[in-house]
Amino acid sequence: MAAGVLLALAPVAAGAILSFASYYGDHMVLQKEPAGAVLWGYGEPGAAVTVALSGDGGLVLMKKMARVKEPSGTWTTILDPMDQGGPYALTARQGSENVTLRDIYFGDVWLCSGQSNMAMTVLQITNASQELAAASRYPYVRVFAAAPSRSDIELEDLERIDLPWSIPTAENLGHGNFTYFSAVCWLLGRHLYEALSPALPPSISPHQHLSGPQTPSVLWNAMIHPLLNMTLRGIAWYQGEANAFLHTDQYNCTFPALIADWRREFHAGSGRQTDPLLPFGFVQLSTYRRQSRQDGFARLRWHQTADVGVVPNARMPRTFMAVAMDLCDEHSPYGSIHPRDKQNVAHRLQLGARAVAYGEKNLVFQGPYPTRAVLEVPRALLNVTYSQQLVWRRRDTPAFEVCCSSPVSPCGWLPAPVVAVGSHTVTLALPGCGTLVLALRYAWAEWPCEYQSCALYNTQGLPAPPFLLETLRSSNRAGDMELLLLHPSSSLAWGV
């Protein structure tokens, strides 16, 4: 088929015969309206290239012309926005040469990127055989996987491809361990396809995983920079385990900066077709060591939200997050840092994508979060009010801690046992703390709970995310002490 040549293991050299760039091929999906899909490729410098989009019966629906630039030997054009659907054929012509891509659809294109947890294939996850057997039911969710690669300079095209654009099968979804195809990426695309419409030609997922060196630019150069011309609908990101041990407390700055940078680059690279606020979803860290007393994982989970606790927020607009701290897997054959339950990860991600990227109204896509706390001084109780109805799933899981030190000395964190849980409130006991409550935190541990057994969830089964909140005291009419919940990086009050 045409993709066998067009999606070769190395890009066609500049000035060579007419071709599309490496990641265009048969069976691919191009971004549907309201954006225009960017097409580019190679040709003879100075020559004119005509690109025609035709329907299944051969009727030409659109023509675009581009000049091959010198000295790069590349051409670029942008199609008019197209409604979802297909199949179509794309033909590029230069003089007597022509090349055609077939079985092309217009839908939504999602880029999945990250480290080894994103690279875990469908073969490696819970219920793998059932998931692989179901692949044939989704012929319109198309998949593509770039091969791991590094470069000291920014590349214009991919050097290697693991999986050209393909219709999903058990074989190409479960090729091997940590190869292709990403389970999280596949399940996210499948969930979105099912939720948005059976007629939607897919949430499409070019998959990358960026594990390996500690020099991020060599991965960006080889695996992301070549894709900047592509028009995208959104990005899914699963990375951060290494940052729990390295540069942890810079992540609250570096992660929002990465998101902003990728948005700028994809917007510019696509000729402003990709949204400047491209939806960006990510997975909050899961677990690693059960008995660890280190708080690197807890701090990084907090920093993944820019020290706010939930997304989207002012520093991370149009983002969404899948909480995963309750999806531990101590006996995973790939190590506990690689939990096998990727179905719940993808389910939580797709809820965020539907709410944030697709604007689905009244969809609950994250767990409950505290809005205020009132200290009952005579009874030494702290009443925490939450944003959603609560389900107290595991009563013996220690979850809350309070800082009871004086303002001039370091925090001494003490357990705050749960006394009662109401529909929207949690009452905590404060033995030995009195009125010196300076901060409150929840699920602040590397391994905060057993599998799907953290303390608090909402009625939809989504876990309450971890938090670390400082307090500002004020008195109310009853004489109790009200604690305004603040996130540490600003003076924004969560509750009054």
Side-chain angles (χ1 to χ4, degrees):
M1 65 182 182
V5 174
L6 296 172
L7 291 175
L9 295 182
V12 179
I17 60 173
L18 176 70
S19 70
F20 287 89
S22 68
Y23 48 85
Y24 295 88
D26 291 354
H27 313 302
M28 80 174 300
V29 168
L30 295 170
Q31 182 58 43
K32 68 179 180 69
E33 53 79 29
V38 178
L39 303 174
W40 73 279
Y42 301 94
E44 190 66 33
V49 174
T50 301
V51 178
L53 178 73
S54 56
D56 200 26
L59 178 66
V60 174
L61 305 173
M62 186 190 312
K63 275 190 177 182
K64 295 288 180 178
M65 197 194 76
R67 187 72 60 178
V68 181
K69 293 176 287 189
E70 300 186 50
S72 66
T74 60
W75 55 267
T76 303
T77 191
I78 300 175
L79 297 179
D80 299 336
M82 290 286 295
D83 290 337
Q84 64 190 33
Y88 297 98
L90 272 172
T91 299
R93 287 187 174 86
Q94 173 189 276
S96 61
E97 296 180 81
N98 68 81
V99 60
T100 298
L101 309 181
R102 304 186 187 280
D103 191 35
I104 306 298
Y105 279 80
F106 287 86
D108 280 342
V109 182
W110 283 78
L111 171 67
C112 301
S113 186
Q115 292 182 315
S116 53
N117 268 299
M118 182 61 86
M120 285 182 72
T121 68
V122 181
L123 184 68
Q124 297 177 267
I125 65 173
T126 304
N127 297 324
S129 58
Q130 295 95 312
E131 298 289 359
L132 291 171
S136 61
R137 301 207 302 264
Y138 301 92
Y140 298 113
V141 182
R142 307 292 172 83
V143 294
F144 172 94
S149 186
R150 309 175 191 179
S151 174
D152 292 328
I153 60 172
E154 291 181 339
L155 302 181
E156 297 306 313
D157 204 349
L158 295 173
E159 286 190 328
R160 296 188 301 123
I161 291 167
D162 272 344
L163 181 67
W165 283 102
S166 302
I167 296 171
T169 65
E171 291 72 28
N172 60 34
L173 293 184
H175 177 73
N177 294 344
F178 301 103
T179 55
Y180 59 85
F181 190 77
S182 164
V184 169
C185 198
W186 162 251
L187 293 169
L188 171 62
R190 195 185 78 184
H191 279 308
L192 289 177
Y193 175 77
E194 291 173 330
L196 296 173
S197 168
L200 176 65
S203 263
I204 310 307
S205 308
H207 157 59
Q208 317 250 351
H209 69 275
L210 305 184
S211 58
Q214 298 297 330
T215 310
S217 60
V218 300
L219 301 171
W220 161 270
N221 291 343
M223 300 179 68
I224 299 299
H225 189 269
L227 301 177
L228 294 183
N229 291 345
M230 201 171 214
T231 311
L232 297 182
R233 186 65 178 85
I235 292 174
W237 177 262
Y238 197 162
Q239 183 270 345
E241 292 84 0
N243 296 92
F245 306 101
L246 184 70
H247 308 310
T248 305
D249 292 320
Q250 297 176 18
Y251 206 82
N252 58 350
C253 292
T254 57
F255 189 41
L258 177 144
I259 295 171
D261 183 62
W262 281 36
R263 285 170 167 168
R264 283 192 301 268
E265 295 285 351
F266 275 101
H267 180 62
S270 64
R272 298 187 295 181
Q273 296 303 306
T274 294
D275 194 321
L277 279 178
L278 180 66
F280 195 107
F282 63 94
V283 183
Q284 197 177 44
L285 284 193
S286 185
T287 57
Y288 183 26
R289 300 166 298 190
R290 178 189 291 275
Q291 302 298 333
S292 174
R293 300 179 63 86
Q294 303 298 315
D295 70 345
F297 265 57
R299 294 194 339 261
L300 195 80
R301 292 187 193 113
W302 181 242
H303 294 333
Q304 284 179 294
T305 67
D307 297 355
V308 175
V310 290
V311 297
N313 58 55
R315 290 188 61 198
M316 300 176 66
R318 274 202 112 189
T319 60
F320 53 96
M321 175 178 76
V323 175
M325 65 179 180
D326 66 329
L327 303 179
C328 52
D329 189 356
E330 187 174 23
H331 302 295
S332 169
Y334 316 106
S336 59
I337 205 167
H338 296 121
R340 288 166 289 181
D341 181 357
K342 296 299 192 273
Q343 286 89 343
N344 272 301
V345 170
H347 171 71
R348 295 169 185 180
L349 268 181
Q350 63 93 21
L351 291 175
R354 288 163 56 192
V356 174
Y358 294 95
E360 193 168 330
K361 303 298 183 184
N362 304 316
L363 177 67
V364 176
F365 65 96
Q366 54 191 344
Y369 201 74
T371 58
R372 68 182 300 192
V374 176
L375 178 64
E376 295 186 44
V377 177
R379 301 174 63 194
L381 297 175
L382 182 62
N383 296 306
V384 183
T385 301
Y386 273 81
S387 59
Q388 300 175 32
Q389 186 173 344
L390 298 170
V391 174
W392 189 8
R393 185 172 290 187
R394 190 65 182 257
R395 302 190 175 213
D396 59 348
T397 298
F400 292 91
E401 297 171 290
V402 289
C403 166
C404 298
S405 307
S406 69
V408 296
S409 62
C411 250
W413 291 100
L414 297 177
V418 176
V419 175
V421 175
S423 63
H424 287 76
T425 60
V426 176
T427 301
L428 307 175
L430 306 174
C433 193
T435 61
L436 293 176
V437 178
L438 301 181
L440 173 68
R441 69 187 188 185
Y442 170 77
W444 202 262
E446 188 168 308
W447 192 291
C449 62
E450 295 307 306
Y451 179 74
Q452 291 195 302
S453 296
C454 280
L456 297 177
Y457 292 76
N458 62 15
T459 54
Q460 289 79 17
L462 298 175
F467 64 78
L468 169 62
L469 299 175
E470 296 176 354
T471 61
L472 177 66
R473 292 186 285 174
S474 64
S475 57
N476 61 25
R477 293 181 181 178
D480 294 330
M481 195 69 69
E482 183 167 2
L483 306 175
L484 304 183
L485 302 180
L486 310 175
H487 71 76
S489 60
S490 81
S491 59
L492 174 66
W494 284 100
V496 180

